[in-house]
Amino acid sequence: MKKQQDSELFSAIVAAPFGAMGVRAQDGQLRELVYLPPHFAEKAAQDAVSERACVQLARYFVDPDYVFDLPLAELGSAYQQRVWAAIAGIPRGRVRTYGDVARFIGSAPRAVGQACGANWYPVIIPCHRVTAAGGLGGFAQHDDASGFHLGVKRWLLAHEGVEGYA
């Protein structure tokens, strides 16, 4: 019953073109989104915020220009929040390198990469739009070129009209 136990971690699970997204909400705020592989079954939302998140994620999966409007819990360090704010400013269809973001906020590329990997709200804070100078880079603290997470990053970039990372 591992799948059922895993799904208990989430207040909802919504199907995604690459698998699924786990949604965690608490006290009227979104607390986390998680990329999940295809073996996770959908799970009905357990609260209003999770329901809103599921509806909005589904809309984004159809329309890459969809703008999210969800109550996000304020998580992460002040530094991480600076990185995430810079990333949130990257327009759909564009990418920036870790170095670009680092120069923008006065930091180092490796630290930007670590903050990207610590993002609680992937898709909403589009860390997939941050790449390495010489290619795709890592994603969600994973860098296996043929792994699930980089496959998700490739799908998200293609969905948003970014070429060259297939």
Side-chain angles (χ1 to χ4, degrees):
M1 288 282 141
K2 184 179 185 325
K3 290 180 193 175
Q4 184 175 350
Q5 288 174 340
D6 289 345
S7 71
E8 290 174 8
L9 298 172
F10 303 105
S11 48
I13 298 176
V14 62
F18 47 77
M21 292 287 300
V23 176
R24 285 188 49 230
Q26 182 179 8
D27 300 327
Q29 294 184 308
L30 188 63
R31 306 269 319 162
E32 183 178 20
L33 295 175
V34 179
Y35 297 114
L36 300 172
H39 71 265
F40 279 83
E42 287 186 78
K43 177 180 178 180
Q46 305 297 300
D47 56 79
V49 171
S50 296
E51 176 65 27
R52 284 180 56 200
C54 289
V55 167
Q56 291 185 31
L57 285 164
R59 288 182 180 163
Y60 167 80
F61 295 142
V62 172
D63 176 7
D65 288 319
Y66 183 80
V67 177
F68 291 93
D69 180 24
L70 294 165
L72 305 180
E74 194 169 310
L75 301 171
S77 69
Y79 174 78
Q80 288 170 333
Q81 290 177 16
R82 278 184 35 227
V83 171
W84 299 336
I87 290 166
I90 301 171
R92 190 222 21 104
R94 303 284 178 99
V95 295
R96 301 287 184 266
T97 66
Y98 297 104
D100 292 338
V101 175
R103 282 186 292 281
F104 182 74
I105 66 167
S107 184
R110 185 176 301 267
V112 168
Q114 290 171 338
C116 284
N119 178 7
W120 292 93
Y121 307 113
V123 177
I124 296 172
I125 298 173
C127 285
H128 58 277
R129 296 179 188 160
V130 183
T131 63
L136 191 60
F139 189 55
Q141 299 179 342
H142 295 85
D143 61 4
D144 178 6
S146 61
F148 169 74
H149 287 88
L150 285 181
V152 171
K153 185 172 185 174
R154 286 183 189 95
W155 185 90
L156 291 167
L157 291 172
H159 178 60
E160 294 184 351
V162 177
E163 296 180 6
Y165 293 97

